[in-house]
Amino acid sequence: MPAWLLWLIAAGVFAGGEVASLDLVLLMFAGGALGGMTVALVGGPVVLQLVAFVVVSAALLAVVRPIAKRHLLERTEEQLDGVAALVGRTAVVSERVDNESGHVRMGHDEWSARTLLDGEVHEVGAEVRIVQIEGPIAYVGDI
């Protein structure tokens, strides 16, 4: 079996292991294995292939991994998804809202709405702020 094919298989094994570990270390080793494969493809000796593997892996671990890890962590902290992204937005009352019933429109979506405070009422056309969402009900308050 040619050496380049062994390096390619090793890269695939490292990449597959990365899927299980999700630590971005084995992925860097997969890149190193591709470096060893490249040297093997141009006819370099086994010692040079191993040196290429070590150098490329070390470079990827030192340079690329910290950047990738920081980028992934920053996106996770900033990202809001689902209904959490709606809290704080404004909506327009489409059916009178009190603490027992009502509806608001956010963009093209119609939501059942309630107020958090007893006695608080918002009439049709009023602009309100979404303060909380529980299931299908948006709790609204004054802007």
Side-chain angles (χ1 to χ4, degrees):
M1 190 177 302
W4 68 267
L5 185 56
L6 292 174
W7 284 111
L8 185 60
I9 291 169
V13 169
F14 283 131
E18 179 62 39
V19 171
S21 74
L22 299 174
D23 198 33
L24 298 177
V25 172
L26 294 177
L27 191 60
M28 303 304 126
F29 289 156
L34 292 177
M37 181 190 78
T38 303
V39 173
L41 279 172
V42 296
V46 174
V47 172
L48 196 55
Q49 294 171 30
L50 289 172
V51 168
F53 169 74
V54 170
V55 168
V56 171
S57 294
L60 289 172
L61 282 169
V63 177
V64 175
R65 183 176 180 267
I67 294 169
K69 197 168 183 179
R70 183 176 63 241
H71 179 70
L72 288 172
L73 291 176
E74 285 174 3
R75 289 186 54 90
T76 303
E77 292 169 359
E78 295 173 5
Q79 185 175 355
L80 286 177
D81 57 354
V83 295
L86 300 176
V87 173
R89 290 191 176 182
T90 59
V92 176
V93 175
S94 57
E95 179 183 306
R96 184 177 187 266
V97 177
D98 55 28
N99 63 341
E100 294 181 9
S101 65
H103 286 88
V104 294
R105 180 171 289 286
M106 288 182 281
H108 297 289
D109 297 329
E110 184 87 17
W111 281 75
S112 294
R114 308 285 184 274
T115 60
L116 287 173
L117 303 174
D118 289 338
E120 185 178 14
V121 175
H122 301 284
E123 298 298 334
V124 173
E127 199 167 325
V128 293
R129 183 164 314 280
I130 307 300
V131 293
Q132 181 180 338
I133 294 184
E134 287 184 11
I137 299 174
Y139 290 89
V140 300
D142 291 328
I143 291 183

